[in-house]
Each structure stands twice: as structure tokens, then as C-alpha cells.
Amino acid sequence: MGLFSRFYPDAYFESAYAIEYKKLYDEGYRGIIFDIDNTLVPHGAPSDDRSRKLLKELMGMGYGVTLLSNNKPKRVDMFNEPIGALCVYKAGKPSRKGYRKAMEKMGTNESNTFFVGDQLFTDVWGAKRTGIKSFLVKQIDKKEEIQIVIKRFFEKIVLRSYERAVGKQTLEDHT
């Protein structure tokens, strides 16, 4: 697969809102772990109508939904207050600990849980290290903190390698 394959997502989507969650549910997935910032809303933003609708629909479908964030409770709770999803704060991504805690809260395991996030070196790598399916989505907002901007530079190198390896496939192409 190549030097960078440890960072490759299982699929790469335009948006968290473009994933076929019903299809995945029908395939037996029961838990979804979401990053928040630049995955569901712009960095630091509260939940909006679109994110609230998606997460409530997923919970209504029967999914366990956990927000996994390296942020402090204040940030996560501000986003989650109108939604009521499960949360893991200060997750230390890419550490496996937060992903495992999220699955424990939902009562799911590696075989029936997947992760959705916008960063390769924290979100995707952490999910892969934990043994769960990982979906990378394009960042919502290009304006980010400097440390993330630096990581994005290196992510572009890995993404070019990924796209050569899998040919820009989507979920329909390779699940």
C-alpha cells in the first residue's frame, strides 16, 4: 500500500452529510463516532440546523452517536446541548483511549462502529489504530489555527498518495 497507508481512511467524502448512513446501518453498523470542528460545523461554531437534523436522524435510526473531541467540555457541550449525543472530551486523539471510551458508552465494538472526521493525523489515524472503519471528510472551513494549517500541508502529501492508491473512490466503490 505504501509508506503513508497507515493514515489512509477507508473512504473519503465531500462532507459528513454525504455519507450513506442508512446503507451502513443495513450492513450492521450501530455506532458512529464524530469529530465536531470542521467535520459537522466550522471550527468553534455551535450546532446548526443541518448538524442537529443529521445527528437526531441517526439516533432515531438506532445508531449510538458519540462526539469525540480533543476540546474541553465547554466547547463540546455548547455544540451538543440541543442534540443530546454522548460525548468524550479531551480525547487525546489519535490515542485509542477516547475511541474505546466512545464505544464503551454506546455499547458497540470495533466491528460495528465507524468514525467520521476531517483530519488524517488525529481523527483517521486514531480510528485506524483502534481498529474501526474511518471516513475522512473535507474540512468545512479553510480558516484554522496555525498548528492545524501546518498539519494540513502534510495531509495533502498523504492524500495525494491515498488518491493514487485507491483512485478517489467513494463508499459505493469500496465497502
Side-chain angles (χ1 to χ4, degrees):
M1 260 285 214
L3 176 67
F4 299 125
S5 61
R6 74 180 67 179
F7 301 112
Y8 291 174
D10 291 292
Y12 186 21
F13 293 93
E14 275 297 315
S15 157
Y17 303 95
I19 297 170
E20 292 187 43
Y21 296 101
K22 173 76 169 86
K23 178 180 179 185
L24 290 157
Y25 190 86
D26 291 345
E27 291 174 6
Y29 288 93
R30 293 298 179 264
I32 309 172
I33 303 171
F34 280 100
D35 174 56
I36 299 171
D37 287 326
N38 261 339
T39 296
L40 294 168
V41 293
H43 187 81
S47 58
D48 56 14
D49 290 342
R50 186 168 75 152
S51 60
R52 287 190 295 270
K53 180 177 186 271
L54 173 66
L55 297 178
K56 286 179 180 183
E57 281 177 5
L58 293 172
M59 290 186 283
M61 193 183 297
Y63 274 114
V65 173
T66 300
L67 305 172
L68 182 71
S69 178
N70 287 347
N71 279 299
K72 295 176 182 170
K74 183 178 177 180
R75 160 67 185 125
V76 178
D77 289 343
M78 181 257 293
F79 174 88
N80 189 43
E81 193 263 318
I83 298 164
L86 299 169
C87 300
V88 176
Y89 315 101
K90 296 186 190 175
K93 295 180 284 182
S95 168
R96 296 176 189 97
K97 186 178 177 183
Y99 296 84
R100 288 184 179 136
K101 188 173 182 180
M103 288 186 285
E104 185 181 308
K105 284 180 172 228
M106 294 185 291
T108 62
N109 59 48
E110 292 84 354
S111 68
N112 65 2
T113 304
F114 62 91
F115 180 85
V116 179
D118 70 301
Q119 292 188 51
L120 286 175
F121 301 135
T122 52
D123 298 334
V124 169
W125 191 34
K128 288 184 70 96
R129 293 177 68 223
T130 307
I132 62 174
K133 189 175 279 280
S134 62
F135 297 148
L136 178 69
V137 298
K138 290 186 178 176
Q139 70 195 78
I140 291 174
D141 188 1
K142 300 287 185 207
K143 192 174 127 194
E144 297 179 300
E145 298 169 351
I146 188 64
Q147 70 271 19
I148 297 173
V149 171
I150 293 166
K151 280 195 279 184
R152 296 275 187 210
F153 172 79
F154 294 103
E155 282 185 354
K156 286 179 186 174
I157 296 166
V158 176
L159 282 173
R160 279 196 293 275
S161 173
Y162 167 76
E163 289 173 346
R164 280 193 302 277
V166 301
K168 295 187 180 184
Q169 295 174 331
T170 63
L171 179 64
E172 297 77 34
D173 300 323
H174 70 275
T175 55

